[in-house]
């Protein structure tokens, strides 16, 4: 089905109502994965017309994403990426890990944004950043859409490289699933157990009796259940 192209409407609103001159769009990838980091991209685009075909990365084919990402990297005014590792996710929980990755991305920009458009319903970034949350912002906001494509392509490449450079991980098919749940990934976990790149506080280990002793609990069981079930407003 066709989708409306993203616009600068939210950015223009932020400029008009807050006086912000520099607005960054922020989106993440890897939140629902079993392995690998969560990656956040912060992108500043100004008010220029975007490259054709830009929308939420999940609505673009892998081939088209790979073609579009380098175009966007040259087109945006600035962008930066931040990661939180599987170990940081296990220790902090996903909400805090997302904030850590987002702050790393925002602080890596050459200029500090006056305001941030954050994809989703919940503000995991918080003070001192001036945040406007936008549900499906990766579809409706140009800067967030650009961030979503860049983040997705970069993280997919990292996971593919991880599988390619270490034959030990070939069974996990990270090049195909990028660390997300899949039948092949689950079968490899059942046989081999989690690697150093897996999140050991995730609920997938509950279904793997042979490896349950490796599960880590770094925050309350209630919070773990909420995050694993996507009940903190996150769409897994």
């Amino acid at each position: 089905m066709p989708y409306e192209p993203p616009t600068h409407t939210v950015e223009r609103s932020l400029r008009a109502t807050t006086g912000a001159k520099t607005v960054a769009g922020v989106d993440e990838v890897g939140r629902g994965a079993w392995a690998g980091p969560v990656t956040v991209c912060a992108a500043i685009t100004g008010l220029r017309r975007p490259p054709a075909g830009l929308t939420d990365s999940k609505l673009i084919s892998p081939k088209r994403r790979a073609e579009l990402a380098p175009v966007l990297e040259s087109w945006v005014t600035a962008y930066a990426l931040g990661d939180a590792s599987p170990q940081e996710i296990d220790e902090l929980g996903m909400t805090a890990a997302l904030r850590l990755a987002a702050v790393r991305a925002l602080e890596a920009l050459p200029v500090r944004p006056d305001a941030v458009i954050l994809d989703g319903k919940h503000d995991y970034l918080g003070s001192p950043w001036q945040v406007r949350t936008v549900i499906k912002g990766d579809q409706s906001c140009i800067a967030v859409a650009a961030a979503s494509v860049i983040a997705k392509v970069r993280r997919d490449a990292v996971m593919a490289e991880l599988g390619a450079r270490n034959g030990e991980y070939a069974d996990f098919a990270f090049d195909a699933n990028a660390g997300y749940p899949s039948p092949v990934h689950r079968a490899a976990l059942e046989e081999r157990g989690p690697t150093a790149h897996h999140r050991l506080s995730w609920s997938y280990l509950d279904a793997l009796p042979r490896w349950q002793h490796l599960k880590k609990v770094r925050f309350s069981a209630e919070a773990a259940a909420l995050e694993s079930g996507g009940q903190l407003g996150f769409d897994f």
Side-chain angles (χ1 to χ4, degrees):
M1 61 179 292
Y3 295 91
E4 289 293 323
T7 69
H8 290 300
T9 299
V10 177
E11 185 170 344
R12 291 182 189 277
S13 172
L14 277 169
R15 288 170 175 247
T17 59
T18 70
K21 295 181 179 179
T22 303
V23 179
V26 170
D27 199 15
E28 55 72 31
V29 64
R31 185 161 49 191
W34 288 342
V38 63
T39 299
V40 173
C41 180
I44 299 171
T45 65
L47 297 176
R48 292 170 298 141
R49 179 178 296 177
L54 176 63
T55 187
D56 172 12
S57 64
K58 296 186 291 296
L59 304 178
I60 306 173
S61 70
K63 180 177 184 295
R64 178 56 182 150
R65 280 198 304 262
E67 295 169 347
L68 186 57
V71 174
L72 289 169
E73 290 173 7
S74 298
W75 171 78
V76 298
T77 303
Y79 77 92
L81 292 138
D83 292 324
S85 69
Q87 292 74 29
E88 289 171 327
I89 293 169
D90 287 336
E91 291 170 6
L92 301 172
M94 181 52 77
T95 304
L98 276 170
R99 185 178 194 279
L100 182 64
V103 169
R104 285 170 173 166
L106 288 164
E107 291 185 343
L109 290 169
V111 59
R112 184 182 178 90
D114 301 311
V116 174
I117 304 172
L118 188 63
D119 180 51
K121 180 169 63 173
H122 292 268
D123 177 9
Y124 59 76
L125 192 54
S127 179
W129 304 93
Q130 180 168 262
V131 176
R132 174 77 60 86
T133 58
V134 179
I135 296 173
K136 295 188 177 180
D138 45 11
Q139 290 185 38
S140 61
C141 302
I142 287 173
V144 180
S148 78
V149 173
I150 293 171
K152 174 64 174 169
V153 171
R154 287 296 190 92
R155 186 184 180 278
D156 282 358
V158 166
M159 295 304 295
E161 170 63 20
L162 175 63
R165 75 169 181 259
N166 192 330
E168 180 184 355
Y169 301 147
D171 291 349
F172 293 93
F174 289 148
D175 59 328
N177 60 51
Y180 282 87
S182 75
V184 171
H185 193 170
R186 182 181 291 277
L189 279 167
E190 289 176 347
E191 177 65 25
R192 304 277 303 280
T195 71
H197 301 281
H198 280 85
R199 303 168 187 181
L200 298 182
S201 58
W202 244 228
S203 60
Y204 69 85
L205 277 172
D206 295 338
L208 301 174
R210 182 179 173 188
W211 308 105
Q212 281 184 12
H213 65 285
L214 297 176
K215 188 169 183 179
K216 292 185 177 180
V217 178
R218 289 292 181 266
F219 47 103
S220 73
E222 180 181 2
L226 287 171
E227 292 207 353
S228 296
Q231 297 176 40
L232 294 181
F234 299 148
D235 182 9
F236 284 80

